[in-house]
Amino acid sequence: MSVVHAVPTDTYRPLDRSAPVFVAGRNGLVGSALWRLLTAEGFSSLLGPASAELDLRDRPAVFEWFARHQPHAVILAAARVGGIKANDTRPADFISDNLLIQVNVLDAALRNGVQRLLFLGSSCIYPKHAGMPIREEALLTGTLEPTNEAYAIAKIAGITQVRSVRRQHGLPWICAMPTNLYGPGDNFHPEHSHVLPSLIRRFHQARMERAPKVVNWGSGTPRREFLHTDDLARACLLLLEGYDSDSPINVGTGEDLTIRELSDMVASVVGYEGAIEWDTSQPDGTYRKVLDISRITALGWTPAIRLSDGIADTYAWYESASP
Ligand code: GDP
């Protein structure tokens, strides 16, 4: 394996717009936003096989694909993801699929000498009781939220692999930790999705059926931060071109709200006016996980999409995509 020395930090290193860039997870929530942005930015050789074409859990298939396509850069946005219930009830799937996807893609990228790689983690990798807002240094300083521990451990393993490649092989690979994401193309499954798409679906259905009430999960008191995937995509490109550090870097808005406040906002965008009840037999998850975003804002990135606008945009997509 060739050893390449990391370029110095604080150096802007533009990606070659005509070189092949692999967006792993291209049809997912994050991958589709990346695809839109990179296309608009003039990348002319984007690679994004659908999972039916290339199952990233299949190691020989992944190695063969890399050998054939020789991507210059990789954004690893492929993952098995889900909301609190999916994570809580199917932890074995979450740890196994995510470890397989990551190890295969990272190993194949290393074997083929991929110089620039961005691995996407999640804010749930941080300890349940981390100080708020959560700084990057909190990683591995405490125990995790149990409802998504399996997913978080897989993501932490990915970060450690990227850091290990940097240390052993000198490649300038990097990791970003996005907060809770939402946007067009999200998963709106009633049981398995995250809270924001779940609420859009529930309120939309209730409005259409003129239902007198809806029932949300948990107490509504936990706080969450939400970032639109178009904002994340801009952050990813900026980081790939201008960030080179061993430390993961947070990507969020730095602002959170209670699930109740979110619920009111979604109801207002969707035009639902009935009652809202809370089922406290459902898990709340971690109480709060707002990110400290000072490191990425110092690089010149700030989120541009206001939550209410982003919800409206996502709802418009949902309405156009639903039968
Ligand atoms: P988390 O950020 O990993 O906890 O994942 P979620 O996005 O699934 O849940 C965030 C919070 O929203 C939790 O406190 C849930 O109990 C609450 N919540 C309220 N209603 C819903 C719902 O319909 N679906 C989901 N997934 N969460 C909900």
Side-chain angles (χ1 to χ4, degrees), residues 242-265:
Y243 184 69
D244 178 19
S245 164
D246 185 54
S247 169
I249 185 162
N250 291 340
V251 190
T253 62
E255 288 171 13
D256 61 358
L257 75 174
T258 65
I259 296 298
R260 249 171 224 273
E261 288 164 338
L262 174 76
S263 166
D264 290 344
M265 206 182 262

